[in-house]
């Protein structure tokens, strides 16, 4: 049997080309929208009066109007079903399409649906309410000419999405303050201070729509000369110098000579750069290529996106400090970032995060361990539950053996105490806290040594001097060091010059935790044994040992415990012998089976650094001031996101575990909401 070819395969070449041309998309030739309904207001008003309740609100009328203009696809389907053209088709006034539309409007209005009916017209049953409203909506669509058919039921053209250009609101950029806010002045009215001929007309991006020729108006207090703008206030300080206050409450931000954006846009820039590790250039390309932009004539620049990030992040960080940033007037953008970090950066310490407490970063104090699995003091959870621990070799091997024997006897005594009184409670101890500290190298790309030798030694030296002035590299900053809670909240960060030495780590810890009351019980560092050794040598351990203990993560501990006596004895991150009951706890799996679990996530900083590494290609091209501000802003924003997600988990939302796909689908379908039956 021969194969049946499609009809097009048997056509001549010119016919194939004709068929192909007919089915080509004509997006460029066919208009994508149609004009907003243009009927006399008198006709519109008369329809509202004769169709809806006399008490109907403006909001309800506009809800119905814009619901009509937003659903032209549904109106096309409704109109086609109303006009029978073939056998088996029947004329239907209230089609299933318009009935569904009526129910959607009634669902939106909840208990206010009587406003859509005249007095004494409201039907008693839901079914008849839907039918009656459907006839009203059908009449409204015809009044607005939102139908593809004419009065004689002849097809005109398919309805297209409605354009709102004709009713686009006029935008202005003006101060938010109604009266003078200067504490040294009376709350006088703020006057419009810009001459008519001097009012700038700018481009505004609002709700992802580009508005052109938006006037920018400036207010002024005639008593103190303070000027009020849409995004800042300009005032004189105590020395008579002009200063600029960056308003956290601003609805719009100036990001270019003649370009403004709303806070939705600026927050999206900040969020996009955070979530996708995007540079200003990458985000610029994304936004300009986006099909959601309604004006192809406007293109935003990389500099404007960077300015947007700075303006938004300054206000975001200032809000966490409960203040508005005040700087000298007329600073360039690099000076703004430098000064902002000097004022708001707090040397990299996030004060609010220091007081953060959650179930992941603090645990109730326990005097006794939940379980003693291995009496060897060097046994670590996850490696030695069912095995013997390798002994220490080297100089302190004999001393370690004696201490291990004594530690085993102590473990047995702890086990006997726990068995004798398993319900004993300690009530006067504060929760146990841990922080994790680690560093990540940020390499410098702008190195004069990597330049082509053909540049010549003089040019290389000049460039090297310039780059040393404006950029930093390994010769100046070796790594970024962070302290974070086990839940991921960032507590502090700093830059270490040339090396990540134990002395610098101790100094960093001392600056973040200057008092005994502020210090955590455990500090997890990948080189904790070196830090401990240095702390003992420089006598700072005399202070730290009263409040805290340095521990390493399991990977480092397993590698060190056979050769490093100090690490073996003091830095075990999860002892199985009950000597540190607050580091190991008993948990239940989904089947109710008990198992041992680390009380704290000691990998928090490594996880943070893996995320921070995504910004390396951006950070290494920045000046030192921009580096400081960008990293600080991102860490503050990151901490906000971590806390926000923790708060979301507290809400009564059912969280499904990953399991069988068919079961998940059934469960998902089980929570889908539906309208009630018409009857």
């Amino acid at each position: 049997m021969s194969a049946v070819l499609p009809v097009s395969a048997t056509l001549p070449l010119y016919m194939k080309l004709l068929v192909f041309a007919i089915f080509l998309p004509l997006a460029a030739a066919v208009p994508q929208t149609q004009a907003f309904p243009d009927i006399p207001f008198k006709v519109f008003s008369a329809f509202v009066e004769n169709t809806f309740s006399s008490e109907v609100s403006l909001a309800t009328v506009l809800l119905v109007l814009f619901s009509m203009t937003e659903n032209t696809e549904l109106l096309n389907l409704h109109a086609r079903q109303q006009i029978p053209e073939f056998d088996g088709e029947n004329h239907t006034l209230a089609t299933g399409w318009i009935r569904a539309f009526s129910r959607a409007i009634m669902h939106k209005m909840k208990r206010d649906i009587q406003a859509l009916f005249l007095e004494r017209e409201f039907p008693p049953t839901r079914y008849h309410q839907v039918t009656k409203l459907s006839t009203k909506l059908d009449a409204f669509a015809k009044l607005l000419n939102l139908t593809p058919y004419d009065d004689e039921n002849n097809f005109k053209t398919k309805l297209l999405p409605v354009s709102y250009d004709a009713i686009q609101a006029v935008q202005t950029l003006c101060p938010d303050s109604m009266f003078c806010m200067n504490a040294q002045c009376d709350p006088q009215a703020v006057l419009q201070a810009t001459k008519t001929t001097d009012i700038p007309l700018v481009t505004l991006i609002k709700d992802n729509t580009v508005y052109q020729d938006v006037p920018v108006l400036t207010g002024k207090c005639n008593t103190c000369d303070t000027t009020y703008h849409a995004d800042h206030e300009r005032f004189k300080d105590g020395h008579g110098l002009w200063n600029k206050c960056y308003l956290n409450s601003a609805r719009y931000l100036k990001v270019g000579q003649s370009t403004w954006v709303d806070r939705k846009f600026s927050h999206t820039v900040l969020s996009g750069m955070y979530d996708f590790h995007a540079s200003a250039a990458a985000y610029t390309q994304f936004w300009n290529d986006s099909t959601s932009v309604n004006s192809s004539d406007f293109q935003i620049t990389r500099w404007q996106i960077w300015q947007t990030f700075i303006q938004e992040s300054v206000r975001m960080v200032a809000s966490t400090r409960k203040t508005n940033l005040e700087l000298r007037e007329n600073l360039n953008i690099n000076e703004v970032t430098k000064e902002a970090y000097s004022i708001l950066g707090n040397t990299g310490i996030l004060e609010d995060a220091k007081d953060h407490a959650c179930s992941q970063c603090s645990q109730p104090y326990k005097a006794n361990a939940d379980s003693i699995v291995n009496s060897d003091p060097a046994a670590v959870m996850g490696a030695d539950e069912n095995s013997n621990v390798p002994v220490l070799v080297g100089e302190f091997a004999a001393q370690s053996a004696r201490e291990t024997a004594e530690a085993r006897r102590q473990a047995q005594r702890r086990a006997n105490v726990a068995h004798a009184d398993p319900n004993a409670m300690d009530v006067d101890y504060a929760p146990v806290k841990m922080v994790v500290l680690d560093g990540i190298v940020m390499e410098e790309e702008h190195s004069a040594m990597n330049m082509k030798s053909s540049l010549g030694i003089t040019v290389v030296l000049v460039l090297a001097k310039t780059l040393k002035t404006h950029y930093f590299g390994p010769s100046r900053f070796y790594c970024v060091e962070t302290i974070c809670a086990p839940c991921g909240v960032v507590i502090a960060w700093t830059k270490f010059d040339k090396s990540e030495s134990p002395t610098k780590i101790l100094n960093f810890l001392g600056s973040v935790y200057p008092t005994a009351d502020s210090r955590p019980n455990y500090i997890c560092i990948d080189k904790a044994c070196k830090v401990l050794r240095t702390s003992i040598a420089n006598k700072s351990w005399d202070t730290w040992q009263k409040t805290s203990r340095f521990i390493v993560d399991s990977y480092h501990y397993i590698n060190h415990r056979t050769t490093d006596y100090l690490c073996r004895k003091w830095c075990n991150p999860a002892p199985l012998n009950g000597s540190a009951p607050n580091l190991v706890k008993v948990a239940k799996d989904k089947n109710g089976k008990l198992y041992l679990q680390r009380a704290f996530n000691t990998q928090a900083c490594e996880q943070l650094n893996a995320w921070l590494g995504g910004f390396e290609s951006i950070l290494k091209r920045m000046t030192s001031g921009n580096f400081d501000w960008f990293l600080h802003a991102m860490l503050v924003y990151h901490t906000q996101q971590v806390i926000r997600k923790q708060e979301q988990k507290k809400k009564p939302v059912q969280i499904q575990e990953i399991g069988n796909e068919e079961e998940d689908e059934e469960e998902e379908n089980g929570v889908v909401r539906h309208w009630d039956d018409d009857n």
Side-chain angles (χ1 to χ4, degrees), residues 405-671:
E406 175 58 26
R408 287 181 181 276
R409 289 190 288 271
Q410 292 177 1
Q412 185 59 51
R413 287 195 291 270
R414 282 192 293 269
N416 293 335
V417 170
H419 292 153
D421 191 7
N423 297 316
M425 294 181 61
D426 294 284
V427 296
D428 296 326
Y429 291 92
V432 177
K433 292 186 176 183
M434 175 188 284
V435 298
V436 188
L437 185 146
D438 199 4
I440 179 174
V441 175
M442 291 289 181
E443 292 184 314
E444 164 60 54
E445 186 175 82
H446 299 278
S447 174
M449 299 303 295
N450 294 331
M451 298 178 184
K452 299 290 185 180
S453 59
S454 58
L455 288 174
I457 186 63
T458 303
V459 177
V460 169
L461 290 176
V462 171
L463 287 174
K465 182 177 180 181
T466 302
L467 293 171
K468 186 175 181 180
T469 302
H470 295 287
Y471 296 92
F472 63 89
S475 61
R476 292 183 58 192
F477 296 107
Y478 173 75
C479 76
V480 172
E481 199 80 6
T482 54
I483 299 175
C484 67
C487 64
V489 165
V490 181
I491 296 170
W493 73 277
T494 191
K495 292 182 298 191
F496 283 159
D497 184 26
K498 295 183 180 178
S499 65
E500 186 191 25
S501 69
T503 300
K504 290 175 182 176
I505 291 175
L506 286 168
N507 291 338
F508 179 37
L509 286 169
S511 67
V512 178
Y513 302 105
T515 63
D517 292 341
S518 65
R519 291 172 189 151
N521 304 87
Y522 293 98
I523 302 172
C524 182
I525 316 172
D526 60 357
K527 53 178 68 176
C529 44
K530 293 183 179 179
V531 174
L532 176 60
R533 187 171 285 106
T534 300
S535 181
I536 294 172
N538 64 21
K539 305 299 183 182
S540 62
W541 182 240
D542 295 342
T543 301
W544 279 106
Q545 69 174 336
K546 297 175 183 178
T547 58
S548 309
R549 176 174 161 186
F550 298 144
I551 62 174
V552 296
D553 60 46
S554 297
Y555 175 80
H556 287 84
Y557 185 75
I558 292 172
N559 288 334
H560 290 181
R561 64 181 175 179
T562 59
T563 58
D564 190 324
Y565 168 74
L566 206 61
C567 184
R568 182 185 181 94
K569 183 174 181 178
W570 296 105
C571 300
N572 190 336
L576 291 173
N577 71 337
S579 59
N582 297 288
L583 291 179
V584 179
K585 64 181 182 179
V586 175
K588 289 183 180 181
D589 63 17
K590 61 181 181 180
N591 297 318
K593 185 178 180 180
L594 299 178
Y595 69 98
L596 290 180
Q597 182 185 67
R598 286 188 177 85
F600 301 99
N601 173 25
T602 59
Q603 302 297 312
C605 256
E606 280 193 41
Q607 294 159 356
L608 175 68
N609 288 341
W611 170 75
L612 275 180
F615 292 112
E616 183 178 1
S617 62
I618 303 172
L619 290 167
K620 66 185 180 183
R621 293 181 175 88
M622 291 184 178
T623 63
S624 181
N626 285 344
F627 180 102
D628 289 344
W629 180 255
F630 182 88
L631 189 57
H632 186 73
M634 283 300 179
L635 291 175
V636 171
Y637 189 73
H638 174 76
T639 295
Q640 289 181 343
Q641 298 307 302
V642 172
I643 295 175
R644 179 182 62 82
K645 291 177 181 177
Q646 290 177 352
E647 293 299 324
Q648 287 179 339
K649 290 181 179 179
K650 295 178 182 179
K651 296 179 181 179
V653 177
Q654 185 176 6
I655 300 175
Q656 299 295 327
E657 294 184 1
I658 298 175
N660 183 277
E661 292 184 2
E662 293 182 1
E663 292 178 357
D664 291 343
E665 185 176 351
E666 290 176 1
E667 180 64 28
E668 182 179 347
N669 292 336
V671 298

Side-chain angles (χ1 to χ4, degrees), residues 390-405:
V391 299
L392 179 75
V393 296
E395 180 181 358
F396 297 97
Q399 181 177 345
S400 176
R402 291 192 298 272
E403 292 174 346
T404 297

Side-chain angles (χ1 to χ4, degrees), residues 227-260:
T227 57
Y228 294 86
H229 307 259
D231 65 341
H232 72 278
E233 295 174 4
R234 179 176 177 266
F235 66 97
K236 286 183 178 179
D237 62 14
H239 303 287
L241 300 176
W242 286 106
N243 283 260
K244 180 177 180 180
C245 177
Y246 295 74
L247 299 173
N248 298 339
S249 60
R251 291 179 59 201
Y252 306 100
L253 303 176
K254 184 178 181 180
V255 299
Q257 187 66 28
S258 59
T259 304
W260 289 67

Side-chain angles (χ1 to χ4, degrees), residues 24 39 46 110 266 273 280 294 303 360 432 440 446 497 527:
L24 276 176
I39 63 173
K110 301 286 190 281
S266 60
M273 295 174 76
N294 76 326
W303 187 90
Q360 297 181 58
V432 177
I440 179 174
H446 299 278
D497 184 26
K527 53 178 68 176

Side-chain angles (χ1 to χ4, degrees), residues 216-398:
V216 180
L217 306 177
T218 300
K220 183 178 181 180
C221 174
N222 283 339
T223 301
C224 64
D225 290 335
T226 298
T227 57
Y228 294 86
H229 307 259
D231 65 341
H232 72 278
E233 295 174 4
R234 179 176 177 266
F235 66 97
K236 286 183 178 179
D237 62 14
H239 303 287
L241 300 176
W242 286 106
N243 283 260
K244 180 177 180 180
C245 177
Y246 295 74
L247 299 173
N248 298 339
S249 60
R251 291 179 59 201
Y252 306 100
L253 303 176
K254 184 178 181 180
V255 299
Q257 187 66 28
S258 59
T259 304
W260 289 67
V261 300
D262 66 356
R263 294 298 292 275
K264 181 185 293 184
F265 178 92
S266 60
H267 182 266
T268 301
V269 170
L270 174 60
S271 179
M273 295 174 76
Y274 166 82
D275 286 323
F276 303 114
H277 295 93
S279 64
Y283 193 91
T284 302
Q285 188 68 39
F286 157 75
W287 195 85
N288 286 333
D289 291 344
S290 174
T291 57
S292 61
V293 180
N294 76 326
S295 174
S296 59
D297 296 332
F298 177 79
Q299 295 279 288
I300 203 162
T301 66
R302 183 199 63 81
W303 187 90
Q304 290 168 340
I305 291 295
W306 176 245
Q307 180 77 238
T308 300
F309 171 81
I310 297 303
Q311 295 292 336
E312 176 65 24
S313 61
V314 159
R315 289 164 172 82
M316 180 268 297
V317 176
S319 295
T320 66
R321 303 295 302 275
K322 297 178 175 58
T323 186
N324 290 302
L325 177 64
E326 297 179 2
L327 299 177
R328 300 190 320 275
E329 191 182 30
N330 297 325
L331 296 181
N332 64 45
I333 192 65
N334 289 332
E335 292 171 327
V336 169
T337 57
K338 185 176 181 180
E339 292 297 319
Y341 182 72
S342 175
I343 296 171
L344 301 174
N346 195 30
T347 64
I349 301 173
L350 283 64
E351 288 291 347
D352 292 343
K354 285 177 62 177
D355 298 327
H356 170 74
C358 68
S359 60
Q360 297 181 58
C361 54
S362 64
Q363 300 287 337
Y365 174 83
K366 293 185 300 184
N368 300 314
D370 294 329
S371 176
I372 297 177
V373 178
N374 190 325
S375 61
D376 193 308
V380 62
M381 198 201 84
D384 303 313
E385 283 83 350
N386 301 302
S387 61
N388 294 324
V389 179
V391 299
L392 179 75
V393 296
E395 180 181 358
F396 297 97

